[in-house]
Amino acid sequence: MAPPPRSGDAIFANVDRVNAELFTLTYGAIVRQLLTDLEEVDEVNKQLDQMGYNIGIRLIDEFLAKSNISTCVDFKETAEVIAKVGFKMFLGVTASVSNWDPEGTTCSIILEDNPLVDFVELPDTCQGLYYCNILSGVVRGALEMVSMKTEITWVRDMLRGDDAFELRLKLLKQVPEEYPYKDDE
Amino acid sequence: MIGVGKTKQYANVLDRPISKGKQEVSLSAFAFLFSELVQYNQTQVDNIAELERRLEDAGYAVGARVLELLCHREKGNRRETRLLGILSFVHSTVWKVLFGKVADSLEKGTEHEDEYMISEKELLVNRFISVPKDMGTFNCGAFVAGIVRGVLDGAGFPAVVTAHFVPVDGQQRPRTTILIKFAEEVLVREARLG
């Protein structure tokens, strides 16, 4: 029998951890480097999303290995798992899920505590920057690896004066899993 | 950690209470992020020296901020003005906050008066890194060298800081040594202070 799923808190308590400030400042250094190199804020948003995607497609393995979570029955469960287990086990913070559409394919993940943005304030020249765009890339990449194509956008951003961070997740399509082998082989 | 309710009251980041620095994220989150930093910079350069310089630049930005943060939080708004003081600040305070432990050793160079070395058996940023053969002496520790240079420079101790792998007898993996070579003016000032 498969071991029971573990809670985000339990996993986080057991993994190696580092000071969040090192993480925050390193992320800040990355964003600053991108702004210098790419100059256009839109390009930086794109690059951050790409970096997140690269992380997401690898991070999902660790996530599945440590959480013992098996297939979610629907997108609602998936979103809950991302918010409660995923965010907790990597970033040490929990998020909540709300604002479901009637079809159950679009929802919001709301983050009130976000280690990426300590010490950060957006200058006037960077108003179009989605500073945390790496996070949306991570979620998109990770979900793609478990057969879900999603579109993820920022609805609220505390760096832009909102009261929380809100990621809007839209399930575009669920790609049926294809096995690289056939049963009779 | 800044309370959720409180955050809303402060419009400006400087108005907020400074965090105590107790919050943590998973090591893998940092490792993933660091790996993206390295990979991105690889696309921006033609050679290893350039790559190390860019990682060092990124680290420098971190170091400059760490100095400010730690002087304020750990040192009651004072900063070290003497050579040994600042070195032990880097080796102990900075290392402890960033890497959760004091650095394995701090030594004075034997051949040159202006050289000091901080060594670490397994530097955090090198923990999950294996350097491909064709990349020669490349060391991701350049990022940490940058942090050290950022702290020292900000405190008025300009130096050239580099990261090197040093093989250790009986160990499969080499240790990383951060070599600090102070600018001449620093030693002149230090000598004058007596």
Side-chain angles (χ1 to χ4, degrees):
Chain A
M1 212 183 99
R6 295 164 73 197
S7 76
D9 287 306
I11 305 168
F12 190 67
N14 279 308
V15 294
D16 284 340
R17 296 179 299 274
V18 295
N19 180 348
E21 283 167 349
L22 174 67
F23 180 75
T24 308
L25 293 172
T26 303
Y27 185 64
I30 293 177
V31 176
R32 242 174 297 116
Q33 231 174 19
L34 293 180
L35 284 167
T36 316
D37 292 346
L38 305 172
E39 290 168 6
E40 294 292 326
V41 166
D42 286 343
E43 290 300 312
V44 176
N45 287 338
K46 255 187 243 164
Q47 181 64 35
L48 286 174
D49 179 71
Q50 181 62 44
M51 286 174 154
Y53 178 82
N54 297 345
I55 293 175
I57 58 178
R58 293 192 291 145
L59 166 147
I60 186 74
D61 284 332
E62 184 177 341
F63 172 78
L64 293 173
K66 289 193 174 149
S67 66
N68 301 332
I69 284 176
S70 53
T71 318
C72 295
V73 292
D74 54 14
F75 192 54
K76 284 200 169 175
E77 191 185 343
T78 308
E80 285 292 334
V81 165
I82 294 171
K84 300 277 165 359
V85 187
F87 274 92
K88 181 76 202 182
M89 102 179 227
F90 289 103
L91 297 180
V93 295
T94 29
S96 56
V97 183
S98 63
N99 300 342
W100 281 100
D101 70 341
E103 291 80 39
T105 53
T106 309
C107 69
S108 292
I109 290 187
I110 294 165
L111 209 58
E112 282 168 344
D113 213 354
N114 180 352
L116 287 177
V117 300
D118 278 337
F119 315 122
V120 177
E121 211 170 48
L122 289 186
D124 290 340
T125 50
C126 295
Q127 290 304 316
L129 179 68
Y130 288 102
Y131 188 85
C132 303
N133 226 21
I134 198 163
L135 288 183
S136 48
V138 171
V139 176
R140 184 170 65 87
L143 285 178
E144 199 170 301
M145 289 298 114
V146 285
S147 317
M148 279 175 259
K149 281 266 187 203
T150 50
E151 185 182 274
I152 303 181
T153 45
W154 289 98
V155 189
R156 282 189 286 164
D157 186 331
M158 281 164 90
L159 295 178
R160 297 172 169 212
D162 298 319
D163 53 354
F165 288 92
E166 179 174 345
L167 268 177
R168 195 80 183 139
L169 261 66
K170 186 173 177 201
L171 180 65
L172 297 176
K173 72 174 178 187
Q174 217 145 356
V175 192
E177 224 163 317
E178 282 177 33
Y179 291 94
Y181 52 85
K182 294 201 177 73
D183 278 345
D184 54 358
E185 274 175 13
Chain B
M1 201 172 76
I2 299 161
V4 171
K6 278 188 207 153
T7 319
K8 292 170 194 162
Q9 299 165 18
Y10 304 104
N12 188 305
V13 68
L14 295 175
D15 293 336
R16 269 178 243 154
I18 198 154
S19 90
K20 294 207 172 61
K22 298 279 178 255
Q23 217 182 338
E24 291 181 312
V25 299
S26 77
L27 173 61
S28 12
F30 175 76
F32 279 126
L33 187 69
F34 186 72
S35 128
E36 285 305 313
L37 171 71
V38 177
Q39 287 181 64
Y40 165 73
N41 277 302
Q42 265 182 294
T43 66
Q44 302 290 306
V45 300
D46 301 324
N47 58 55
I48 302 299
E50 184 75 356
L51 178 57
E52 287 189 334
R53 194 193 58 75
R54 287 188 57 105
L55 286 181
E56 196 192 316
D57 280 352
Y60 183 91
V62 174
R65 286 161 179 80
V66 163
L67 173 71
E68 205 174 328
L69 176 67
L70 298 189
C71 283
H72 179 68
R73 190 172 61 205
E74 319 273 332
K75 295 288 211 178
N77 278 330
R78 296 168 68 85
R79 79 174 157 71
E80 300 292 339
T81 54
R82 297 303 297 266
L83 192 78
L84 288 179
I86 195 76
L87 280 170
S88 97
F89 173 76
V90 172
H91 161 269
S92 313
T93 315
V94 172
W95 234 259
K96 193 122 208 278
V97 168
L98 293 184
F99 308 124
K101 65 185 277 297
V102 173
D104 289 339
S105 75
L106 167 65
E107 294 159 277
K108 191 172 191 323
T110 44
E111 287 166 31
H112 302 280
E113 274 298 296
D114 56 353
E115 289 185 354
Y116 289 83
M117 293 167 297
I118 293 177
S119 296
E120 187 72 57
K121 211 163 81 194
E122 187 78 275
L123 193 66
L124 187 79
V125 297
N126 277 333
R127 188 145 155 204
F128 301 114
I129 305 267
S130 49
V131 179
K133 281 231 160 40
D134 61 344
M135 288 180 73
T137 59
F138 171 67
N139 192 326
C140 285
F143 180 72
V144 177
I147 295 180
V148 172
R149 188 166 70 87
V151 171
L152 293 176
D153 210 23
F157 292 84
V160 176
V161 186
T162 45
H164 308 272
F165 283 122
V166 179
V168 184
D169 285 341
Q171 294 277 343
Q172 208 178 10
R173 284 174 68 84
R175 67 186 164 121
T176 301
T177 292
I178 308 285
L179 180 67
I180 304 164
K181 192 175 174 65
F182 285 104
E184 205 186 334
E185 68 200 69
V186 174
L187 294 172
V188 171
R189 181 184 65 206
E190 190 64 20
R192 201 170 55 227
L193 289 172

